[in-house]
Amino acid sequence: MPSRARSSAMKVAVALLVLPLLLGCGCCALPGLLFDEIFGGSRHTFTEQDLVGDWTSDCGGTVSIRADGTATVIDLPIHRTRNDAGELVETKAAGEYNWHIEPETDNTDQEVRFTTPPYDEEIFAAHAERDWTSFDDLEYYLSTPSEPIYCSLDK
């Protein structure tokens, strides 16, 4: 890419990141997502065999994924919000869950979804962490897109 075109692309990327801050729009996640897409690698596909095993979250907690479609989750932080006093309140998942891979679509990335038996209520979902090489880790959102906190699960 010629230097002039690269310079223009960088200016556009910076404008997309800075404009919502200048406008006071904390809820605008699009610039961050575009920045991630351009500079953060890509999400690689994974198989059931890739998922089976023991995973540890950098946010705390563990997930043991079994080939039979079940998983044991221990104290995994899955949601963080602010209460009326402005304090962070964390919800953790613990127990036995089912899991399945939701395929990629035109609008969504491939995900592994963890649900409660027997009603299949989704508790949390994770997707491949962005990387330049191959699938290694899972990533999930711990908070809302307006205040993004990501956690990664490593084998």
Side-chain angles (χ1 to χ4, degrees):
M1 178 183 279
S3 179
R4 177 177 267 178
R6 189 175 321 156
S7 176
S8 295
M10 288 300 288
K11 287 178 184 176
V12 170
V14 169
L16 288 172
L17 292 171
V18 173
L19 185 60
L21 296 174
L22 294 174
L23 296 174
C25 181
C27 63
C28 298
L30 181 61
L33 294 174
L34 287 174
F35 188 79
D36 233 10
E37 194 69 37
I38 295 168
F39 299 106
S42 61
R43 296 198 196 279
H44 299 279
T45 58
F46 50 85
T47 66
E48 291 181 2
Q49 292 173 336
D50 293 327
L51 297 177
V52 172
D54 297 326
W55 298 79
T56 302
S57 173
D58 62 349
C59 293
T62 60
V63 179
S64 293
I65 299 176
R66 294 181 290 278
D68 67 356
T70 62
T72 301
V73 177
I74 300 172
D75 294 330
L76 184 74
I78 58 168
H79 192 65
R80 189 179 289 169
T81 57
R82 294 199 180 275
N83 64 15
D84 293 337
E87 303 164 328
L88 283 175
V89 178
E90 198 167 79
T91 302
K92 293 185 178 184
E96 295 297 315
Y97 298 93
N98 292 328
W99 66 271
H100 70 277
I101 296 174
E102 194 70 30
E104 179 181 18
T105 68
D106 289 340
N107 300 322
T108 62
D109 293 319
Q110 178 191 33
E111 290 185 320
V112 56
R113 296 186 183 211
F114 294 85
T115 60
T116 58
Y119 305 110
D120 286 335
E121 176 187 349
E122 185 173 312
I123 301 302
F124 71 100
H127 45 256
E129 189 172 36
R130 291 189 188 281
D131 192 337
W132 291 107
T133 56
S134 62
F135 171 75
D136 287 314
D137 301 322
L138 292 166
E139 177 180 72
Y140 65 97
Y141 297 101
L142 182 59
S143 63
T144 62
S146 63
E147 294 183 49
I149 298 173
Y150 304 95
C151 295
S152 69
L153 291 162
D154 307 307
K155 255 189 182 180

